[in-house]
Amino acid sequence: MNKPVNNADLKNEPKNDFIRNIIREDVKAEKYKQIVTRFPPEPNGYLHLGHVKSICLNFGVAEEFGGICHLRYDDTNPTAEKQDYIDNIKTDVQWLGFEWAGEALHASSYFDQLHAWAVQLIEQGDAYVDLQTPEQIKDNRGSFNEVGKPSPQREASVEDNLKLFDDMKNGKYADGKAVLRAKINMSDANMNLRDPIIYRVMHQEHHQTGDKWCIYPMYDFAHPLSDAHEGITHSICTLEFEDHRPFYDWIVAKIGFDIPPHQYEFSRLNVDHTLTSKRKLKQLVDENIVSGWDDPRMPTIAGMRRRGYTPEGLRDFCDRVGVTKADSVVDMRLLEFSIRQSLDDTTARGMAVLKPLKVTITNFDEAVEEWETLKADSVNARFDKDSQTLWLTQPKHPNVEDMGEREIPFTKDLYIDQGDYELEPPAGYKRLSPEKSEIRLRNTYVLAVTEHVLDDAGNVTELKATIDPTTLGQNPEGRKVKGVIHWVSASQGIPATVRLYEQLFSVEDPSSVSDVHEALNPNSLTELSAVVEPSLVAADAGTRFQFEREGYFISDAVEHSNETPVFNQIVSLRDSYKPA
């Protein structure tokens, strides 16, 4: 597995991989007037993490070498494609920080030209209409150990094939009753060259062309010809298309182009515990296993955006993974490392108690009376008598002054996290327990627990404590306390829903499991009734924060409001990765 290299800074390192080296040589040889790439998704689902690498590569090399990159929808299958998918692909690409040349393109815009090229192939004797059933075509294709059997229509005349293809176009055949096949070699070792189907009958309205067509080109036919038609110089795709390249080259050569495109393959992005099959991801959506394509647990770009991942972090992740021809599985913690790196200096701080335990400060009134005389110059605070609240002013970020300041309410009743007080603490525990009663409340006083209250089941339900008035924001001489915990005012804090996430799949390779349900992690989502400081709720939906001592979170872009705050966990504060 690829593993994160801590503190590595890749921003200023030149990108160097085999595709960029090829392009450098082409530029040096002046092979093309301009480098032209494309990102060509089929709009049959939402884009996922695997597409991020392809987007970064195609748009990235075009930018690096002064070229352009097209966004083209290879929309040749109207039964699986939707306008929603088309719209979201545009949003995803732009959110990642890229812009395509001109208007977004559609393979469907070339249907007239693709049909004309299909006719050209028939006229050249390079294509024929096959009237076998789909089952017969499949059976006669042969196998790796057995050559294929030619169709009974394979040697039909050009005139007959032109007539049959025209009948297909005019709706005289039902779905599955006729196809157009390229005439190559039924004995070729490469199964993709055994007279592949290039057109099929499909009585289906298309989202772009309406009911104009009842025949549609196959992807392997439309894709290379769309590349050639657009003047693509470097057709970059993943390794599973390597065996398709001979047909790519064959069809482009048969039609004839002055400067044909060339296909280059790189290894797809495989991340552990992650599924990148649009078909299986759609199954999760259709069966309501997740809340939608943008569920924060989903490896879709929409899901990662709602989860709070940053485009900078995703681009950095792709840079760290690199571009090779060797298949590998990347450790998910490398992705989290990149996201965490992008968040540290860009997110305001705040306090949120995810599992509240009430603390009553029994000497709060006395401490406040001494506040005016004991307050340090370094402490910026004000006391509101009506609400009995000491408002503490703190920076939103300890190292970024431009983020400004926030006010934190400190009151007699507080919440700390349940995990910060243990009746029987484990070894090395440095927070509160019956044996260790003192700790610093972040940005405020040293607190000493004097009593804990138990329920009938023996669980701690409340702490009684005192604060040292001389310790507000400082450590007087001889008063050193180890350990700092976060807290939230019980009366001024805001109830909020906080969602914690684990990986959606419990198995390292969910694609290896035949039934996707068996790979699901039952603990992928945990919802907590938390309490947060007021400054967190006041922010707009889609704002990222660091919850001190808890992790990075984002106010949910869909459900968050001031009245019903909802926060999604982005990533933990620290990388759990340990070098071998």
Side-chain angles (χ1 to χ4, degrees):
M1 291 186 182
N2 295 337
K3 297 176 180 178
V5 179
N6 290 335
N7 301 319
D9 184 1
L10 304 182
K11 293 180 181 179
N12 299 318
E13 292 185 8
K15 297 182 178 69
N16 189 29
D17 54 66
F18 78 97
I19 287 180
R20 287 178 168 85
N21 290 338
I22 289 171
I23 297 176
R24 287 189 182 100
E25 290 300 316
D26 290 343
V27 170
K28 183 178 179 180
E30 299 181 348
K31 188 175 180 179
Y32 306 105
K33 291 182 180 179
Q34 185 181 41
I35 300 301
V36 184
T37 62
R38 82 290 171 271
F39 174 61
E42 182 183 355
N44 61 351
Y46 278 40
L47 300 183
H48 52 62
L49 182 57
H51 292 109
V52 176
K53 182 177 178 180
S54 181
I55 292 170
C56 291
L57 180 57
N58 278 286
F59 282 93
V61 297
E63 181 179 348
E64 290 168 39
F65 295 98
I68 59 174
C69 183
H70 294 170
L71 171 62
R72 182 183 74 237
Y73 299 101
D74 278 346
D75 51 352
T76 60
N77 183 9
T79 62
E81 298 160 0
K82 295 180 181 179
Q83 188 62 43
D84 176 44
Y85 300 151
I86 291 172
D87 295 339
N88 223 287
I89 288 170
K90 288 183 179 179
T91 299
D92 289 345
V93 172
Q94 291 176 322
W95 178 77
L96 282 170
F98 299 105
E99 193 61 53
W100 51 89
E103 297 294 325
L105 305 175
H106 294 260
S108 57
S109 300
Y110 312 143
F111 279 174
D112 287 315
Q113 180 61 71
L114 291 169
H115 175 265
W117 281 328
V119 171
Q120 177 185 332
L121 289 176
I122 296 173
E123 292 173 339
Q124 294 172 181
D126 293 318
Y128 63 95
V129 173
D130 194 343
L131 301 178
Q132 296 181 100
T133 65
E135 293 76 17
Q136 289 172 325
I137 292 175
K138 181 180 179 181
D139 291 342
N140 292 336
R141 193 165 177 243
S143 65
F144 291 110
N145 300 317
E146 182 183 6
V147 299
K149 298 176 182 178
S151 164
Q153 288 83 43
R154 194 173 196 271
E155 300 305 327
S157 67
V158 168
E159 291 74 18
D160 287 346
N161 279 309
L162 288 173
K163 173 67 168 59
L164 290 171
F165 189 52
D166 199 50
D167 288 345
M168 288 173 60
K169 176 178 177 289
N170 292 327
K172 295 185 178 181
Y173 290 100
D175 292 7
K177 296 300 183 181
V179 295
L180 183 68
R181 299 177 69 176
K183 189 175 182 181
I184 307 178
N185 183 357
M186 289 299 293
S187 301
D188 200 288
N190 187 334
M191 301 288 286
N192 295 294
L193 295 181
R194 294 187 184 180
D195 292 9
I197 297 171
I198 58 177
Y199 259 92
R200 78 283 209 195
V201 177
M202 188 182 291
H203 292 271
Q204 175 74 36
E205 186 170 311
H206 192 280
H207 49 87
Q208 298 295 315
T209 60
D211 59 0
K212 178 179 179 179
W213 298 92
C214 64
I215 57 171
Y216 291 96
M218 299 296 289
Y219 174 88
D220 276 0
F221 175 77
H223 176 79
L225 294 179
S226 297
D227 281 353
H229 183 64
E230 294 174 6
I232 303 301
T233 58
H234 298 77
S235 178
I236 305 170
C237 59
T238 46
L239 277 177
E240 62 262 35
F241 291 99
E242 188 171 26
D243 288 341
H244 297 246
R245 186 181 352 128
F247 178 70
Y248 185 107
D249 294 339
W250 183 90
I251 194 68
V252 168
K254 286 294 182 180
I255 298 301
F257 292 91
D258 293 337
I259 305 177
H262 187 77
Q263 178 176 300
Y264 301 91
E265 306 89 15
F266 67 98
S267 61
R268 64 180 295 162
L269 179 58
N270 299 305
V271 180
D272 63 17
H273 297 89
T274 304
L275 190 65
T276 54
S277 162
K278 280 193 283 187
R279 178 180 60 83
K280 291 185 178 180
L281 293 177
K282 185 175 185 297
Q283 179 185 352
L284 299 180
V285 176
D286 292 343
E287 295 182 3
N288 296 316
I289 294 172
V290 294
S291 62
W293 286 99
D294 67 343
D295 188 302
R297 294 169 292 174
M298 288 280 275
T300 57
I301 298 177
M304 292 186 289
R305 180 166 58 246
R306 187 172 174 186
R307 172 79 176 263
Y309 284 11
T310 64
E312 297 83 6
L314 289 170
R315 295 197 304 266
D316 176 77
F317 171 63
C318 290
D319 285 346
R320 294 177 188 277
V321 171
V323 179
T324 70
K325 273 186 168 289
D327 273 328
S328 63
V329 179
V330 181
D331 194 323
M332 170 62 78
R333 288 170 294 184
L334 177 57
L335 171 59
E336 294 174 346
F337 174 83
S338 290
I339 298 301
R340 192 179 296 108
Q341 291 285 97
S342 71
L343 291 170
D344 185 37
D345 292 331
T346 60
T347 53
R349 278 29 176 180
M351 291 191 290
V353 175
L354 307 189
K355 297 179 180 180
L357 172 62
K358 186 178 180 182
V359 178
T360 300
I361 301 174
T362 57
N363 69 330
F364 179 82
D365 294 337
E366 294 86 342
V368 168
E369 288 179 5
E370 297 183 47
W371 174 69
E372 284 290 345
T373 58
L374 296 176
K375 66 179 180 179
D377 293 338
S378 60
V379 177
N380 186 354
R382 63 181 179 86
F383 183 68
D384 180 71
K385 293 183 179 179
D386 292 337
S387 62
Q388 291 293 293
T389 303
L390 181 64
W391 289 91
L392 305 167
T393 300
Q394 292 291 324
K396 291 184 176 180
H397 192 291
N399 302 317
V400 184
E401 292 183 6
D402 291 344
M403 284 193 186
E405 296 177 325
R406 72 192 202 269
E407 279 197 317
I408 309 169
F410 184 81
T411 54
K412 178 177 182 177
D413 295 326
L414 305 176
Y415 288 122
I416 66 171
D417 195 88
Q418 293 174 12
D420 285 335
Y421 188 87
E422 294 283 352
L423 290 174
E424 299 179 3
Y429 187 78
K430 297 181 180 179
R431 285 160 283 171
L432 293 169
S433 68
E435 290 74 32
K436 184 181 183 300
S437 64
E438 283 195 343
I439 205 159
R440 164 79 64 179
L441 296 175
R442 186 177 291 278
N443 301 317
T444 62
Y445 297 95
V446 169
L447 175 139
V449 176
T450 57
E451 179 187 353
H452 62 249
V453 180
L454 303 178
D455 63 13
D456 293 340
N459 299 312
V460 178
T461 59
E462 183 181 356
L463 300 177
K464 306 288 187 180
T466 60
I467 53 176
D468 184 340
T470 67
T471 60
L472 180 59
Q474 59 183 347
N475 284 320
E477 185 176 352
R479 194 76 165 80
K480 298 186 182 297
V481 178
K482 293 183 179 180
V484 178
I485 62 173
H486 63 290
W487 53 274
V488 172
S489 164
S491 58
Q492 300 286 349
I494 309 297
T497 297
V498 172
R499 293 168 178 160
L500 304 181
Y501 299 104
E502 293 181 10
Q503 292 150 332
L504 182 57
F505 300 100
S506 58
V507 298
E508 184 169 332
D509 181 11
S511 64
S512 66
V513 180
S514 57
D515 184 353
V516 70
H517 301 86
E518 297 178 1
L520 292 170
N521 175 10
N523 301 314
S524 63
L525 169 63
T526 300
E527 282 198 353
L528 300 176
S529 297
V531 183
V532 303
E533 68 171 79
S535 69
L536 300 178
V537 175
D540 295 334
T543 304
R544 299 178 184 87
F545 298 96
Q546 183 194 109
F547 288 1
E548 299 190 45
R549 297 181 67 233
E550 293 290 359
Y552 293 98
F553 290 78
I554 186 171
S555 49
D556 187 82
V558 178
E559 299 179 38
H560 175 86
S561 69
N562 288 354
E563 293 74 29
T564 57
V566 178
F567 296 92
N568 301 327
Q569 181 189 42
I570 305 172
V571 69
S572 62
L573 280 178
R574 295 178 181 84
D575 189 358
S576 61
Y577 168 74
K578 295 182 180 179

